[in-house]
Amino acid sequence: MAENMEMVLVSRDELQQLIGASVRCALEEYGQAQAPQETSEYYTIRQVAEKWGVSIATIWRHEKLGHIKGQRIGRRVLFPKEQIDRIKNLKATNRDADKNTKG
């Protein structure tokens, strides 16, 4: 095994570049493994805000309070469509119920 070993000298800058490239590659592979495979099953925060007719800040507040659960992928936060649609339907049902009891 010793006969297959080769020593290579690199500068400090070259070593930093090699390590940086290796780390970026590993993080990219990790991100791809963790990312949802089918993004069409998710809403972005902007899509949720448009769907509910509220601001993006309101969606962040609901996420922070735990009312909705986002999946963080790097800097992005995606929300499962099933969860958001179910909550939207519950809000519509509650609104209809309120109208019937008040009228």
Side-chain angles (χ1 to χ4, degrees):
M1 183 160 180
E3 57 214 36
N4 293 335
M5 227 179 356
E6 186 178 331
M7 186 176 279
V8 178
L9 295 175
V10 295
S11 70
R12 182 178 186 176
D13 290 339
E14 290 173 320
L15 181 60
Q16 285 178 330
Q17 288 176 349
L18 287 169
I19 291 171
S22 295
V23 169
R24 281 190 298 277
C25 184
L27 287 173
E28 187 175 303
E29 288 176 8
Y30 177 78
Q32 289 173 352
Q34 297 299 313
Q37 297 304 315
E38 185 59 50
T39 56
S40 65
E41 296 178 14
Y42 294 85
Y43 289 123
T44 64
I45 193 160
R46 183 178 308 273
Q47 290 171 323
V48 174
E50 289 173 4
K51 185 171 186 62
W52 286 0
V54 296
S55 70
I56 291 174
T58 299
I59 301 303
W60 281 123
R61 189 169 42 257
H62 281 292
E63 202 260 345
K64 184 178 179 180
L65 293 171
H67 299 155
I68 56 176
K69 178 96 170 105
Q71 182 176 357
R72 297 189 188 288
I73 309 298
R75 297 181 71 184
R76 295 178 70 192
V77 178
L78 300 176
F79 298 89
K81 283 186 175 182
E82 181 181 334
Q83 171 193 208
I84 299 304
D85 292 342
R86 185 177 61 241
I87 293 171
K88 178 68 173 178
N89 292 338
L90 286 175
K91 287 174 70 175
T93 303
N94 289 342
R95 198 175 319 117
D96 291 342
D98 288 344
K99 286 180 186 176
N100 291 337
T101 57
K102 290 180 182 177

